[in-house]
Amino acid sequence: MADAKRPNQLLRNLNAKVAAIPMVATALVVFVGCTIWTIVHSFTKSKLLPKTDFVGLDQYERLWKTNKWLISIENLAIYGICSLVLSICIGFFLATLLDQKIRFENTIRTIILYPFALSFVVTGLTWQWILNPDFGVQKIVRSLGWESFAFDPLYNQDIVIYGILIAAIWQGSGLIMVIMLAGLRGIDQEIWKAARVDGIPKWKTYIFIVIPMMRPVFVTALVLITAGIVKVYDLVVAQTNGGPGIASEVPAKYVIESMFKNQNLGQAFAASTMMLVTVLIILVPYAYLEYGGKRRAK
Amino acid sequence: MTSTSSVSIKHLDLSFGAVEVLKDLNLEIANGEFLVLLGASGCGKSTLLNCIAGLLDVTGGQIHIKGENVTWAEPSERGIGMVFQSYALYPQMSVEGNLSFGLKNAKLPKDEIKKRVQRAAEVLQMEDLLKRKPAALSGGQRQRVAIGRALVRDVDVFLFDEPLSNLDAKLRADLRVEIKRLHQQLHNTMIYVTHDQVEAMTLADRIAIMKDGLIQQLASPSEIYNKPANKYVADFIGSPSMNFFLGAVNTDGAPTFETAGQTIPLTGYEFVSSPAAGNAWMGIRPEHIVVGEAAEASDFKIDTSVEIVEPMGSDTVVWCEVMGERIRIRIDGQSSVEPGDTLRIGFDAARLSLFEKTTESRI
Amino acid sequence: MQNKYNLEGPQGTKPRKRLSGTNIMLYGTLLVVAFYYLLPLYVMVTTSLKGMPEIRAGNIFDLPVDITFEPWVKAWSTACTGLNCDGLSRGFWNSVSILVPSVALSIAIASVNGYALANWKFKGSEVFFTILIFGAFIPYQVMLYPIVILLREVGLMGSLWGLVVVHTIFGMPILTLLFRNYFTSLPDELFKAARVDGAGFWGIYFQVMLPMSLPIFVVAMIIQVTGIWNDFLFGVIYTKPDIYPMTVQLNNIVNSVQGVKEYNVNMAATLLTGLVPLIIYFASGKLFVRGIAAGAVKG
């Protein structure tokens, strides 16, 4: 034992370390490095090329005075809140329907989930067509006799964001349903039996017993939806390209246009940093609850 | 007819599609009786309990509880309380919430609910746990809360579905005594499903041993142990399990059992009906085989050589080959026996069990 | 059921109405739901099979009267993007040539990462993994530009391989998580036995872990193929017009401002682009669900 050489700490697991280089590089260089780089450069007056002339919070001041950005934020808020509430409600509702030991469960699940396999571009273009006032839903309702019916979200500044919302819910609610259904199936069947012996009606069992038990599933769904909301870009580009006018602009699109079209890197960096802040506001409490909380409990 | 029975099951059938789980099952359970449904997994014992609770729809037959036909009644209307293996406590509610949720839902007056919760907590000695959440309780405490939830329903029939299976051995023994004490205190009818024969033997007034959806024997623990109705029951009850010899009953003169060239006198054996000749199994429990001086005084004795010795402390299990069968003998833990020793063993005809060879039922 | 035993009163199965109110509501709702989710697919298919006069005259829900496959042919081979007029075929082959190396590389790297994290933990490995998972939630926009600079430095900007690297990087969090969880769930004894037998890092990976992990590789492939095929953002930023992937090409065809809008061609093009993920989805069934459940619930 005594003459066995103690292996060098760095060389221990050398193969594993070598194998992990791509992961370490991605984590450090891209996720940490690039993020910091962008945050730092959001305090500069970079235009066409990144520079290091620091101008403090100038970019942010300009950002919050830009009409297009304010509309983007407003859209994101409306879209975000609606899609959060609707996705969770619809997803849970559909999951409870599928949980009733129904026939054709697989078929219906397949139907509800297939839009999730499609890209946002395909989704956006499809709904652009369905919502086309001259050929789509509006025309059909009118041809049924309701002449004054107006539903042209993609051409009406006031409701355009809801047109995008319809497409987004169609595309994404299947995912939430599948997550919720997995959560429901994870509930101990004996809980249901106990509730029946106690004489508790089904809807009450869902509300007072099952939903509280599914808290982690709801949190997961919430985090996933939020991360998706902030990233929303392709859907808008395909469905409205920000129009009519700038009525359906979103922050992600603002960033990319400042970056590659308007040659205003400083604005792009400031705007993307704001997006990051939004995500952190959601993610930090979640991470605290999920990881910090666990450590305290056990 | 049903007035003396607490629970009465008549011609009960249950099938899932083509699979028959319970077949024409009849069972009368008396008021205040502690009945244990015992069997290996898949024998239909839990299914039967779920039928009694109303958690499964039966395919045929009737279930009466307290003289009322409840075959089509909802579980909550049957006057039963149920305790589950996984406890099935509502995790987001305090112990008090768990106990009172069903009562609140039944719109009972507040002070009545309070009274019942208080009483259940007293009976189960968990007054100081009422404000806690299930996650903050130990397994044993959780199961007590689950029992409490059945208790507050103020019902006559308690159903237990393997309530102790999730607990470790020590806790299981403690709670077993607790359930027995509860039964002696409350005198409720209790139907208890388990696969553990120790639980069954210690708790039951009567045991129903089930196999393939049929009740093999319904009798008191001592009768099941001493006079098993068939070879399956004989083999299932007792640990280590019974030794069996295949041979034939001879009724020329005094009845005897013949196997491997040996003749075992059956004088003293209580035949179910008059003895008939024919092929049969002879069973003898390891603890009913005696050695030493006692063997000399037995109806039948034989020499054997010890193969394996398993000391267990309180007693020792000795393996040896007798009449062509490898058998187990349970002897005192203090006796010193070594492999290779020659051992004189013996047993009495009164201790034997005989089963017809093909039907395997007791003769 | 006849009364075999002369029992009185209720017996046997509780009679239930097949068409109870609850059931009508339940199946009615499901029917409406299924209708809503299927509608766009129906509209896409029917529109793509109609001629333009028929589209202008009728409404989008009508079944096609004269079925024509011309829109499909046009979408595939001659539709114009504003830059060129060789249809989606170019985008399709671009996407294929992006897809194959991206899927292979990202899965190879992530599976080794996951294996190292599950079985060969070293000091700091969990920290890097946590950063990686949190990185999945950072909006891409924050990292877009610095990556442009990095790619330019190594000479991959605007090239197919640059995009492959980007897909590998951004696929890494979910895939690493997937593989790590899978390898962690394999019995530890297996790994220990292989080590006692003298196998090393790569030996165990190739001879013990890989042969047992076919299902999880299929799940990873489903995730990556649909994800990369559906990508738009990275394609438009990190490549040049002549190697644009299919989604970008599609958007350029449909939203090009020149000429008369040909809705039937647009829908045919949209369907063509959606076809690959749809085929994967319908062919993989439960594995697809398992993929998203693995990514979502455990994440």
Side-chain angles (χ1 to χ4, degrees):
Chain A
M1 284 299 279
D3 50 306
K5 252 190 279 166
R6 190 185 157 81
N8 185 320
Q9 274 299 310
L10 265 177
L11 292 178
R12 270 190 69 217
N13 277 358
L14 187 65
N15 271 324
K17 285 174 185 167
V18 171
I21 286 176
M23 176 185 83
V24 173
T26 299
L28 292 185
V29 177
V30 179
F31 292 156
V32 176
C34 290
T35 304
I36 291 173
W37 189 94
T38 296
I39 296 172
V40 168
H41 282 78
S42 74
F43 300 107
T44 67
K45 59 177 193 188
S46 307
K47 274 291 202 185
L48 174 61
L49 291 170
K51 291 187 208 141
T52 42
D53 309 332
F54 287 93
V55 289
L57 290 171
D58 275 12
Q59 296 287 7
Y60 292 90
E61 265 172 50
R62 268 187 51 204
L63 182 68
W64 286 101
K65 281 182 191 146
T66 310
N67 195 27
K68 192 172 154 188
W69 172 256
L70 294 176
I71 289 175
S72 301
I73 287 289
E74 191 193 331
N75 280 337
L76 187 70
I78 297 173
Y79 171 85
I81 291 168
C82 292
S83 78
L84 205 60
V85 172
L86 286 174
S87 296
I88 291 207
C89 291
I90 293 175
F92 184 76
F93 176 68
L94 292 179
T96 52
L97 287 188
L98 286 196
D99 197 33
Q100 305 306 308
K101 300 191 177 78
I102 57 161
R103 308 169 72 179
F104 316 117
E105 183 192 316
N106 278 336
T107 314
I108 292 180
R109 196 195 55 214
T110 306
I111 290 174
I112 295 176
L113 188 59
Y114 87 88
F116 185 70
L118 294 172
S119 62
F120 280 120
V121 175
V122 168
T123 306
L125 295 177
T126 309
W127 281 92
Q128 184 190 58
W129 173 234
I130 294 173
L131 297 176
N132 184 317
D134 300 329
F135 301 99
V137 176
Q138 176 171 302
K139 183 193 175 187
I140 289 158
V141 178
R142 282 187 184 173
S143 69
L144 291 175
W146 186 358
E147 293 292 337
S148 63
F149 178 80
F151 187 67
D152 55 344
L154 304 188
Y155 294 85
N156 181 341
Q157 298 204 357
D158 301 327
I159 55 170
V160 61
I161 198 68
Y162 300 101
I164 294 171
L165 188 67
I166 293 176
I169 297 290
W170 176 77
Q171 203 261 357
S173 46
L175 168 73
I176 304 302
M177 180 206 69
V178 168
I179 294 171
M180 296 284 181
L181 189 58
L184 285 175
R185 293 280 151 84
I187 301 271
D188 180 5
Q189 280 305 303
E190 292 198 333
I191 288 274
W192 277 105
K193 289 183 181 180
R196 271 188 80 188
V197 171
D198 268 350
I200 296 152
K202 223 170 190 175
W203 64 271
K204 262 193 180 173
T205 313
Y206 271 117
I207 293 178
F208 293 107
I209 299 167
V210 173
I211 292 184
M213 285 176 81
M214 287 198 4
R215 201 194 63 103
V217 179
F218 276 93
V219 173
T220 305
L222 190 111
V223 169
L224 276 179
I225 300 169
T226 315
I229 289 167
V230 179
K231 283 175 183 168
V232 64
Y233 169 72
D234 341 11
L235 184 62
V236 177
V237 169
Q239 208 176 347
T240 66
N241 202 18
I246 53 167
S248 60
E249 290 290 340
V250 284
K253 191 160 172 287
Y254 184 92
V255 171
I256 287 161
E257 278 172 8
S258 309
M259 215 177 263
F260 299 105
K261 230 165 91 187
N262 306 338
Q263 277 129 27
N264 197 342
L265 288 179
Q267 274 297 290
F269 296 150
S272 55
T273 306
M274 292 315 303
M275 289 174 68
L276 179 65
V277 170
T278 318
V279 172
L280 287 182
I281 288 172
I282 308 289
L283 205 57
V284 167
Y286 166 71
Y288 179 77
L289 279 175
E290 195 76 339
Y291 299 100
K294 255 182 214 157
R295 223 166 282 147
R296 258 185 295 118
K298 287 196 177 145
Chain B
M1 250 173 62
T2 51
S3 58
T4 54
S5 311
S6 171
V7 177
S8 140
I9 291 154
K10 299 177 176 178
H11 305 292
L12 189 73
D13 291 315
L14 180 82
S15 41
F16 297 118
V19 187
E20 280 196 316
V21 184
L22 299 174
K23 293 158 228 165
D24 188 18
L25 196 139
N26 289 284
L27 191 59
E28 298 284 325
I29 301 159
N31 254 326
E33 182 174 4
F34 199 122
L35 180 92
V36 172
L37 299 173
L38 177 67
S41 62
C43 70
K45 58 190 192 297
S46 275
T47 311
L48 175 57
L49 196 75
N50 278 305
C51 286
I52 297 172
L55 294 167
L56 280 175
D57 263 353
V58 302
T59 317
Q62 289 182 334
I63 296 166
H64 296 250
I65 294 176
K66 284 277 149 193
E68 237 172 277
N69 185 345
V70 294
T71 315
W72 292 351
E74 274 298 299
S76 54
E77 298 160 356
R78 293 188 175 203
I80 52 146
M82 191 158 177
V83 179
F84 298 92
Q85 177 178 358
S86 68
Y87 325 128
L89 299 180
Y90 311 136
Q92 310 297 327
M93 298 180 193
S94 66
V95 169
E96 195 172 7
N98 266 282
L99 296 183
S100 58
F101 191 55
L103 304 180
K104 276 186 199 146
N105 200 65
K107 303 241 159 35
L108 252 67
K110 271 213 173 91
D111 45 333
E112 171 69 16
I113 296 178
K114 207 171 166 175
K115 220 172 71 194
R116 288 200 195 176
V117 169
Q118 209 53 48
R119 182 172 153 264
E122 263 168 46
V123 170
L124 296 164
Q125 294 153 15
M126 53 180 197
E127 289 106 320
D128 46 343
L129 302 179
L130 284 178
K131 298 287 169 218
R132 291 219 207 142
K133 288 262 179 79
L137 300 177
S138 70
Q141 289 169 330
R142 281 181 213 185
Q143 197 49 287
R144 258 191 257 176
V145 177
I147 295 171
R149 197 168 53 185
L151 212 59
V152 291
R153 291 177 54 75
D154 220 5
V155 290
D156 302 301
V157 180
F158 276 27
L159 308 177
F160 293 88
D161 194 356
E162 308 225 13
L164 307 183
S165 298
N166 280 7
L167 301 172
D168 63 50
K170 166 119 177 45
L171 221 53
R172 207 180 305 161
D174 291 349
L175 238 83
R176 202 172 65 211
V177 176
E178 189 119 341
I179 290 175
K180 186 150 193 157
R181 187 178 61 82
L182 196 69
H183 182 240
Q184 284 171 0
Q185 192 177 341
L186 301 172
H187 302 293
N188 289 38
T189 308
M190 293 190 175
I191 306 176
Y192 187 107
V193 164
T194 183
H195 62 267
D196 181 326
Q197 48 169 305
V198 179
E199 277 172 34
M201 297 296 280
T202 51
L203 288 172
D205 293 327
R206 280 196 302 167
I207 299 176
I209 296 197
M210 292 184 68
K211 185 195 170 199
D212 299 335
L214 294 171
I215 293 179
Q216 302 290 314
Q217 186 171 12
L218 173 63
S220 68
S222 88
E223 188 169 345
I224 285 201
Y225 177 78
N226 291 311
K227 294 205 164 85
N230 57 35
K231 187 167 172 265
Y232 176 80
V233 174
D235 196 32
F236 190 82
I237 290 286
S239 169
S241 51
M242 194 181 262
N243 303 302
F244 290 103
F245 301 89
L246 187 57
V249 174
N250 190 339
T251 50
D252 302 339
T256 53
F257 184 82
E258 284 163 12
T259 181
Q262 299 285 338
T263 302
I264 298 151
L266 292 178
T267 325
Y269 178 77
E270 280 180 47
F271 281 94
V272 177
S273 51
S274 56
N279 289 340
W281 292 96
M282 182 192 84
I284 178 78
R285 294 201 180 278
E287 53 271 37
H288 293 159
I289 300 176
V290 289
V291 295
E293 282 168 28
E296 294 301 332
S298 298
D299 295 348
F300 177 78
K301 38 204 169 280
I302 191 168
D303 280 328
T304 178
S305 140
V306 175
E307 286 183 358
I308 295 170
V309 178
E310 293 180 297
M312 298 188 169
S314 61
D315 43 37
T316 296
V317 175
V318 177
W319 293 69
C320 44
E321 203 172 298
V322 176
M323 300 182 285
E325 294 292 331
R326 172 162 297 160
I327 65 160
R328 293 162 295 270
I329 304 165
R330 192 143 135 190
I331 57 172
D332 189 69
Q334 303 310 315
S335 40
S336 53
V337 183
E338 298 282 332
D341 287 359
T342 302
L343 199 61
R344 190 152 180 84
I345 62 167
F347 47 80
D348 284 334
R351 295 286 205 181
L352 293 175
S353 288
L354 291 171
F355 306 103
E356 211 278 322
K357 190 195 167 203
T358 44
T359 63
E360 298 195 343
S361 46
R362 190 177 185 87
I363 52 177
Chain C
M1 181 176 269
Q2 80 276 31
N3 199 337
K4 274 195 291 197
Y5 307 106
N6 294 319
L7 296 173
E8 278 168 36
Q11 58 176 303
T13 314
K14 188 173 175 178
R16 281 182 213 285
K17 276 185 286 175
R18 256 210 127 86
L19 286 173
S20 69
T22 340
N23 269 351
I24 292 175
M25 285 240 300
L26 180 65
Y27 285 97
T29 315
L30 286 172
L31 208 67
V32 172
V33 167
F35 179 75
Y36 169 74
Y37 282 91
L38 279 176
L39 185 77
L41 189 62
Y42 167 81
V43 169
M44 271 193 273
V45 173
T46 53
T47 306
S48 74
L49 296 174
K50 291 174 188 169
M52 271 314 283
E54 200 183 323
I55 290 177
R56 283 194 208 95
N59 76 47
I60 58 169
F61 296 131
D62 289 338
L63 278 167
V65 184
D66 289 318
I67 292 180
T68 166
F69 291 97
E70 215 162 288
W72 285 71
V73 176
K74 195 169 178 199
W76 177 254
S77 51
T78 61
C80 295
T81 60
L83 285 168
N84 48 46
C85 281
D86 43 12
L88 270 177
S89 52
R90 173 199 291 263
F92 176 83
W93 293 114
N94 285 345
S95 276
V96 169
S97 50
I98 293 164
L99 190 70
V100 173
S102 302
V103 171
L105 188 66
S106 61
I107 290 181
I109 289 182
S111 64
V112 174
N113 276 344
Y115 162 65
L117 285 166
N119 296 106
W120 298 82
K121 289 202 178 92
F122 53 88
K123 210 174 163 197
S125 62
E126 286 298 299
V127 177
F128 293 124
F129 178 64
T130 312
I131 297 175
L132 202 65
I133 295 304
F134 274 77
F137 290 99
I138 302 175
Y140 296 143
Q141 281 73 14
V142 179
M143 297 169 278
L144 283 181
Y145 200 82
I147 293 177
V148 169
I149 298 176
L150 289 173
L151 287 178
R152 210 178 272 147
E153 287 295 313
V154 293
L156 288 176
M157 183 62 199
S159 77
L160 190 144
W161 282 99
L163 188 56
V164 170
V165 170
V166 171
H167 279 308
T168 305
I169 287 174
F170 287 105
M172 207 182 284
I174 168 77
L175 290 188
T176 306
L177 178 77
L178 185 75
F179 281 107
R180 188 192 82 129
N181 286 350
Y182 181 78
F183 289 130
T184 310
S185 74
L186 292 180
D188 211 23
E189 286 75 16
L190 201 73
F191 173 75
K192 285 179 183 157
R195 281 203 78 178
V196 172
D197 284 344
F201 184 87
W202 296 108
I204 297 175
Y205 176 74
F206 283 110
Q207 284 162 11
V208 182
M209 296 301 184
L210 270 196
M212 296 187 64
S213 317
L214 188 66
I216 206 69
F217 274 87
V218 175
V219 169
M221 264 175 66
I222 293 168
I223 294 177
Q224 280 305 80
V225 172
T226 42
I228 293 171
W229 192 271
N230 288 341
D231 163 67
F232 175 82
L233 180 65
F234 299 141
V236 79
I237 287 175
Y238 296 111
T239 57
K240 295 187 299 253
D242 56 324
I243 54 166
Y244 272 161
M246 201 172 185
T247 47
V248 180
Q249 202 104 9
L250 168 72
N251 190 49
N252 289 348
I253 289 175
V254 176
N255 285 330
S256 84
V257 278
Q258 297 150 341
V260 189
K261 287 242 175 208
E262 289 183 288
Y263 298 110
N264 51 357
V265 177
N266 290 349
M267 281 303 111
T270 309
L271 262 177
L272 275 171
T273 312
L275 222 46
V276 169
L278 276 185
I279 288 169
I280 289 182
Y281 172 68
F282 286 114
S284 62
K286 285 233 153 104
L287 280 176
F288 186 91
V289 178
R290 188 171 156 197
I292 61 173
V297 175
K298 287 186 178 173

